[in-house]
Amino acid sequence: MDWYGSMIILLPAILLSFYAQSKVSSTFNKYSKVKNLNGYTGRDIAESILRNAGLFDVRVESVKGNLTDHYDPRKKVVRLSDSVYNSTSIAAVGVAAHECGHALQDAKGYAFLKFRHAIFPVVSFSSNLAMPLIFLGFFLDAFNLIQLGVILFGAVVLFQLITLPVEFNASSRAIAILDNNNYLSANEVKPARKVLNAAALTYVAAAIVAIANLLRFLIILNGRRR
Ligand SMILES: [Zn+2]
C-alpha cells in the first residue's frame, strides 16, 4: 500500500469527523433556541457552580467566536463564547457546566488532566514537526526521517486519546451537577446531555482520524522496510 492507496484507511475516519462536526452544530443550534425554565445564563451557571465548589479563584469571562468555550488552567479562567455567556438556553447551560467540569478536575488534581498538561509541550512540538518530517522523508526517500516523524506523530495520537477521558469526565460532572442541584429540570437534563454527547463525539472522531493516520504511516513504513 502506498501514500494514496492507504487513504482508504483514513476515509471512514474523515467521514465520521464530518458527521461529528455537523452533529455538534445542529444539536447546539437546536438547543440554543430552547430556554431553560429557571432562566439561568451560561455565566450564572458557571459562577454558581464554581462558588458552590469553593473555587473562588476561578474567574468567568466571555470570549469571541463560536464554540470557543474552554477552561484555561494556567490563568484559572472559564471562558464562555458569546452564544453561551449571556444566553439562557439549555445548550448554553450545558456547555458552561462542562467548562466548570474542567475547572473542578483541575482543582481536584484529576489524573488524566494532569497527564494531559504534562505532555502538552512535547505534543505541541511533535505535532508541528511530525508531518513535515514524514513528507520530507518521503521526498528524500529517507527511511529514518519517516520513522522519526511517525514516532512524533505517535505522541500526538497519545494526546488525543488522553483527551477522551478528560472530556467525558467533564461532561459527566456537568450533568450530575445540573441534575442534582436542580439547575435544570429532569426534562431539560436530557437535551443538555445530548449537546455534550455531540461535542464529545468530535473528540472521538479526532482521535480516530489520528489513529487511522498513524496506522497508515506504519503500513507505509513497513512497506518501505521490505
Ligand atoms: Zn471540554
Side-chain angles (χ1 to χ4, degrees):
M1 241 195 268
D2 63 4
W3 187 262
Y4 293 104
S6 64
M7 288 279 184
I8 197 92
I9 300 169
L10 200 55
L11 198 63
I14 288 174
L15 289 177
L16 176 68
S17 175
F18 280 128
Y19 170 75
Q21 288 300 333
S22 77
K23 182 82 183 162
V24 73
S25 300
S26 65
T27 312
F28 185 83
N29 284 338
K30 183 175 176 188
Y31 295 111
S32 63
K33 294 186 183 82
V34 184
K35 296 201 181 309
N36 67 80
L37 291 173
N38 288 325
Y40 292 120
T41 63
R43 184 197 172 180
D44 295 335
I45 286 291
E47 295 280 4
S48 180
I49 290 175
L50 295 171
R51 301 319 153 230
N52 280 345
L55 303 182
F56 298 100
D57 58 334
V58 180
R59 284 174 297 131
V60 181
E61 291 177 356
S62 68
V63 64
K64 292 248 169 292
N66 197 23
L67 298 176
T68 46
D69 311 76
H70 64 276
Y71 169 65
D72 182 341
R74 277 172 303 176
K75 298 198 170 154
K76 308 267 179 219
V77 182
V78 167
R79 294 202 183 91
L80 303 175
S81 63
D82 296 332
S83 54
V84 170
Y85 192 78
N86 284 318
S87 164
T88 55
S89 71
I90 292 176
V93 164
V95 170
H98 170 94
E99 299 311 332
C100 292
H102 287 308
L104 289 167
Q105 289 173 335
D106 188 21
K108 294 189 175 161
Y110 178 64
F112 283 112
L113 188 75
K114 272 192 182 162
F115 188 35
R116 192 169 177 267
H117 288 164
I119 67 167
F120 182 73
V122 182
V123 171
S124 53
F125 170 80
S126 300
S127 67
N128 286 328
L129 227 62
M131 291 301 267
L133 276 181
I134 292 168
F135 280 120
L136 191 66
F138 272 103
F139 184 67
L140 301 174
D141 205 19
F143 182 82
N144 288 341
L145 274 188
I146 305 174
Q147 203 171 31
L148 181 62
V150 172
I151 291 168
L152 292 180
F153 193 78
V156 178
V157 174
L158 179 67
F159 186 77
Q160 305 262 39
L161 288 175
I162 296 165
T163 297
L164 298 181
V166 174
E167 292 304 326
F168 280 102
N169 176 269
S171 286
S172 63
R173 283 174 196 262
I175 293 298
I177 292 168
L178 292 175
D179 197 3
N180 298 341
N181 296 284
N182 295 316
Y183 288 120
L184 293 181
S185 71
N187 288 336
E188 293 173 315
V189 169
K190 205 174 156 191
R193 186 182 279 123
K194 276 187 189 169
V195 171
L196 297 185
N197 284 347
L201 186 63
T202 64
Y203 290 102
V204 173
I208 291 175
V209 168
I211 292 169
N213 252 324
L214 181 64
L215 204 64
R216 194 174 148 235
F217 294 148
L218 289 174
I219 289 170
I220 297 168
L221 203 59
N222 198 41
R224 292 254 158 166
R225 190 179 284 147
R226 273 182 274 129

